[in-house]
Amino acid sequence: MSDLKEIFEKNYSPLCNYANAIIKDYNLSEDVVQRVFIQLWENKKLLNLDNPAPYLMKCVKFKCLDHLRSKKSHIEMSESELPDVESNSISELLEDDIEAVFAFLTAQLPPKTRKVFLMSRKSGMTYAEIANELDVSVKTVENQMGNALQKLRILLVKHHYLPSSIVFFSKIFNPN
Amino acid sequence: MENIYQILAKYFQGKTSPEENILVDEFKNKHLKEYNSLEQLWNAKLAEVKDFDHEQAWRIIQKKAIGKKTKTISLYRRIASVAAVLLILASASIYLFSDINEPEMITVMNNSESTMHIELPDKSIAILNKDASIQYPEKFENKLRNVSMAGEVFYDVEKDNSRPFIIKTLHADVKVLGTSFNIDSNSEETSVSVTTGTVQVNSLSTDESVTLTPGEKALITASSLIESKENDDNYISWKTGVFTFEEESVSDVIASLSEYYNNKISLSTTNDNCSISTTFDNMELKYVVEIISVTCNLKIRETNNVYELY
């Protein structure tokens, strides 16, 4: 049991990153996440979830897909119904949006760790190049890369992100 | 020594040695699911990631959500004006009441090079080590005193049997009535060491609880809770500035001192035969270095107040 403000603070930025990976628009992403919270404002069920993140992601995804389907501007966006607070795991979100889940999880890394991690993963820089760019030692870069994976592992466990279902889904969609 | 996560990062980049590959295989065998999902994430197509400002957004949605309520009231007004007045009064009091129920949260991060003393609303004291942070309400509620933290913090909690004091970390809730103790919490683990009184620790992952008394310690990770004796005499030295060593190797001594002295002391010799028994009580680094150098017959190299013993 926790209060809505606490849930909001923890999840706002990660959810905006999640939405942005789907609809590729920072302003619209913020709008989507804010609309979800306004709709859930007095939803007591949300406060009773052990870990509300997977449900919130589902609501955000729902609204994002709604937007992509209707291609309406955010001013006209309808107040569509949100999904039920029931199945509560990230894994079923994975079938087509691992990119978005990645954004959601990476947004929760500490700033320095995230910076190093993205420089390595996104910009493809070597440890030496990153160390040089940030004026730190190669050892520090190695530490931060280790931190990133460790923190991601903790988040994966916390959000019941089960890889068996990834295999399951990838088998369904890519039989070979 | 590299930890498994550093090795995994290198492994995903194809840069590990055959020996390291064995360690990766071991990890894979033990934690196949977690390994698979980390690999999946590593290979994911990469989205942009940036920070969004939640404080401003909270003000916006609070306004809109409350605005939604007001609309409902104006509808009632058309039906019966007397009822409307009552409703407006009621909603105004709900609005005021909800404001009282949601006190402002204060977040303090210690970005300085020294420790930071904070007095909490109930007069309890929190002492933050470098890089530690703590979040607490401007005013504690009637029944609970809740704070959240990360990094290393020493607490001296005011006694109040009617209001437990609860500290939330990534891995555990630590509950106390009035006592002093140290918490060190990073992304990997949280450790709790008690100085006086008793402290109850509840692990978030396993939901186990232990009660600790002075001299005892609990270590909580994402998957376990381990209770033990606190064998490190220096677990609160970062706060007191007093370090006591009993027959400890020079490398252990320097490892203990290094963080406190902002990494301005290091050892670059493989000869670790010398052991040290002494107390440094808030001593300036240059004297600490001198004593170690004389005791262990090491030379000193100094550049801009950074000391290397060799």
Side-chain angles (χ1 to χ4, degrees), chain B residues 22-54:
Chain B
I22 295 173
L23 294 173
V24 172
D25 279 340
E26 255 173 43
F27 179 84
K28 215 172 179 176
N29 288 337
K30 262 196 234 155
H31 310 284
L32 183 63
K33 284 183 170 183
E34 283 154 73
Y35 171 83
N36 281 342
S37 51
L38 283 175
E39 192 186 32
Q40 186 93 6
L41 271 190
W42 185 277
N43 293 322
K45 200 174 141 220
L46 297 179
E48 293 290 337
V49 178
K50 68 164 214 164
D51 280 319
F52 291 85
D53 177 7
H54 64 76

Side-chain angles (χ1 to χ4, degrees), chain A residues 4 34 37-42, chain B residues 57-74 87-88 90-100 102:
Chain A
L4 188 69
Q34 289 172 17
F37 274 95
I38 291 169
Q39 264 184 275
L40 293 173
W41 188 256
E42 286 186 325
Chain B
W58 177 254
R59 283 193 291 272
I60 294 171
I61 72 155
Q62 210 176 10
K63 225 192 231 165
K64 286 191 183 162
I66 291 168
K68 259 180 24 183
K69 278 190 213 157
T70 323
K71 255 188 235 161
T72 331
I73 291 163
S74 61
L87 273 169
I88 289 164
S91 77
S93 63
I94 288 165
Y95 179 72
L96 286 173
F97 192 63
S98 65
D99 239 11
I100 293 163
E102 257 170 44

Side-chain angles (χ1 to χ4, degrees), chain B residues 190 192 203 208 210 212 217-221 224-228:
Chain B
T190 294
V192 183
S203 156
E208 288 170 87
V210 289
L212 304 174
K217 164 184 181 167
L219 186 69
I220 311 98
T221 69
S224 68
L225 183 156
I226 301 158
E227 194 184 347
S228 64

Side-chain angles (χ1 to χ4, degrees), chain A residues 8 12-13 16-17 26 41 98-99 102 114 121-122 127 142-143 146 150 153-154 156 161 163 166, chain B residues 2 5-6 9 13 31 33-34 37 40 42 45-46 48-52 54 57-58 65 187-188:
Chain A
F8 183 81
Y12 183 69
S13 187
C16 290
N17 279 292
Y26 284 130
W41 188 256
I98 183 144
E99 179 186 358
F102 177 91
R114 185 170 74 205
R121 292 291 304 110
K122 205 167 167 59
Y127 287 6
E142 267 187 62
N143 284 340
Q150 184 171 31
R153 179 187 174 190
I154 291 175
L156 290 170
Y161 172 106
I166 303 175
Chain B
E2 291 185 338
Y5 301 99
Q6 291 164 8
Q13 298 169 71
H31 310 284
K33 284 183 170 183
E34 283 154 73
S37 51
Q40 186 93 6
W42 185 277
K45 200 174 141 220
L46 297 179
E48 293 290 337
V49 178
K50 68 164 214 164
D51 280 319
F52 291 85
H54 64 76
W58 177 254
S187 59
E188 190 178 344

Side-chain angles (χ1 to χ4, degrees), chain B residues 108-148:
Chain B
V108 182
M109 283 193 70
N110 183 8
N111 295 325
S112 72
E113 287 286 279
S114 53
T115 59
M116 190 185 268
H117 286 237
I118 294 169
E119 194 184 283
L120 299 172
D122 65 336
K123 307 270 184 243
S124 293
I125 302 292
I127 303 173
L128 276 60
N129 202 352
K130 286 166 274 191
D131 296 324
S133 61
I134 182 170
Q135 191 179 51
Y136 57 94
E138 209 175 9
K139 188 170 174 281
F140 283 125
E141 291 169 41
N142 291 333
K143 287 182 186 155
L144 273 184
R145 295 176 284 172
N146 265 344
V147 306
S148 329

Side-chain angles (χ1 to χ4, degrees), chain A residues 14-162:
Chain A
L15 287 170
C16 290
N17 279 292
Y18 177 77
N20 185 58
I22 303 173
I23 52 182
K24 317 277 183 212
D25 180 328
Y26 284 130
N27 289 331
L28 193 51
S29 299
E30 287 206 71
D31 195 59
V32 162
V33 177
Q34 289 172 17
R35 278 166 190 270
V36 166
F37 274 95
I38 291 169
Q39 264 184 275
L40 293 173
W41 188 256
E42 286 186 325
N43 189 320
K44 296 280 182 300
K45 282 187 196 159
L46 178 73
L47 302 179
N48 284 324
L49 293 176
D50 281 343
N51 175 19
Y55 174 67
L56 291 169
M57 289 166 86
K58 200 188 271 180
C59 293
V60 168
K61 183 179 178 183
F62 208 75
K63 275 219 184 302
C64 286
L65 296 182
D66 223 33
H67 163 77
L68 292 177
R69 264 195 299 270
S70 62
K71 286 282 174 209
K72 282 180 188 161
S73 76
H74 67 281
I75 301 157
E76 309 166 275
M77 211 160 80
S78 61
E79 293 292 347
S80 49
E81 286 294 306
L82 293 173
D84 280 340
V85 186
E86 262 160 19
S87 63
N88 189 31
S89 129
I90 293 191
S91 50
E92 65 188 65
L93 290 167
L94 274 175
E95 50 190 281
D96 52 8
D97 63 355
I98 183 144
E99 179 186 358
V101 173
F102 177 91
F104 177 79
L105 296 175
T106 310
Q108 294 172 69
L109 296 175
K112 282 180 196 159
T113 304
R114 185 170 74 205
K115 191 163 186 187
V116 169
F117 187 63
L118 289 176
M119 282 169 101
S120 163
R121 292 291 304 110
K122 205 167 167 59
S123 314
M125 295 166 78
T126 64
Y127 287 6
E129 286 165 348
I130 298 171
N132 191 31
E133 173 91 21
L134 298 178
D135 202 16
V136 296
S137 65
V138 171
K139 186 78 208 149
T140 303
V141 175
E142 267 187 62
N143 284 340
Q144 295 290 16
M145 290 298 287
N147 278 349
L149 285 183
Q150 184 171 31
K151 180 92 203 232
L152 287 172
R153 179 187 174 190
I154 291 175
L155 290 169
L156 290 170
V157 173
K158 195 174 129 196
H159 294 320
H160 318 289
Y161 172 106
L162 299 171

